[in-house]
Amino acid sequence: IGIKAALTGHLVLSTLHTNDAPSTINRLMNMGIEPFLVATSVNLIVAQRLIRRICQKCKEAEDVPVQALLNVGFSESEAPNIQLYKGRGCEVCNQRGYKGRVGLFEVMKVTEDIRELILSGASAVELRRKALEDGMISLRHSGLQKIREGVTTIEEVVRESVL
């Protein structure tokens, strides 16, 4: 029904459980929707994950080896300059070190090149590669930005995203 509505010019917003934005295309086709219908009706896909925020009341600097930063995706030039934080635990956060949540977002615009890949039956890996070439920010890179900003920890980002 959603595909038919989209084909007639209606804006359709829907949810679907997938691991990331590019795998949504394959999920739709696995549900029996023809590739040409997916390619012509889908314009944008957003994947999201909620991660825990470091508690602002007990937030403190944390020393982490540079290699750990490289392993999660920071560049060699950036890693030595990243300041990490963690929550010590306090009465505000019930000794957890985290208080609240923040979203990680991966937004994939379905460009003409991606439409062609969909029509040719490309895998989620191929779609991801092209989307990243076209400027998509992955869940992991969204998480790295939250680490840079001192909002969350490496553990939270690694738990909810893949390289």
Side-chain angles (χ1 to χ4, degrees):
I1 293 171
I3 296 292
K4 287 181 181 179
L7 290 172
T8 62
H10 292 81
L11 175 63
V12 177
L13 303 175
S14 183
T15 62
L16 190 65
H17 293 279
T18 59
N19 291 328
D20 59 10
S23 63
T24 301
I25 299 297
N26 297 94
R27 177 67 56 89
L28 289 169
M29 290 189 284
N30 288 342
M31 292 170 60
I33 301 168
E34 294 294 331
F36 76 93
L37 292 173
V38 173
T40 56
S41 62
V42 177
N43 295 319
L44 186 81
I45 300 169
V46 179
Q48 64 180 7
R49 297 283 181 276
L50 288 178
I51 58 170
R52 297 179 295 176
R53 283 182 183 269
I54 299 170
C55 176
Q56 293 301 302
K57 178 82 171 159
C58 63
K59 180 178 176 178
E60 62 186 19
E62 177 182 35
D63 290 327
V64 173
V66 172
Q67 188 59 47
L69 296 171
L70 295 173
N71 291 346
V72 297
F74 285 106
S75 68
E76 287 188 31
S77 61
E78 184 179 24
N81 304 314
I82 299 290
Q83 176 61 64
L84 297 176
Y85 298 92
K86 67 176 181 176
R88 181 179 60 256
C90 65
E91 48 295 328
V92 171
C93 63
N94 292 325
Q95 306 303 323
R96 291 189 179 114
Y98 295 100
K99 182 74 174 168
R101 294 192 179 256
V102 65
L104 301 183
F105 301 98
E106 178 175 270
V107 180
M108 184 176 99
K109 186 174 182 349
V110 181
T111 62
E112 285 306 313
D113 289 340
I114 290 178
R115 286 185 207 290
E116 288 177 23
L117 286 172
I118 293 167
L119 290 170
S120 69
S123 69
V125 172
E126 293 168 308
L127 291 167
R128 168 172 283 286
R129 189 176 303 121
K130 183 58 184 161
L132 289 169
E133 277 178 30
D134 290 349
M136 178 181 82
I137 296 172
S138 69
L139 286 169
R140 175 58 60 98
H141 283 95
S142 178
L144 295 180
Q145 185 58 37
K146 299 289 190 258
I147 293 170
R148 278 185 206 97
E149 294 166 358
V151 173
T152 194
T153 61
I154 287 178
E155 293 79 18
E156 282 296 292
V157 170
V158 168
R159 184 172 56 86
E160 290 295 336
S161 66
V162 294
L163 268 175

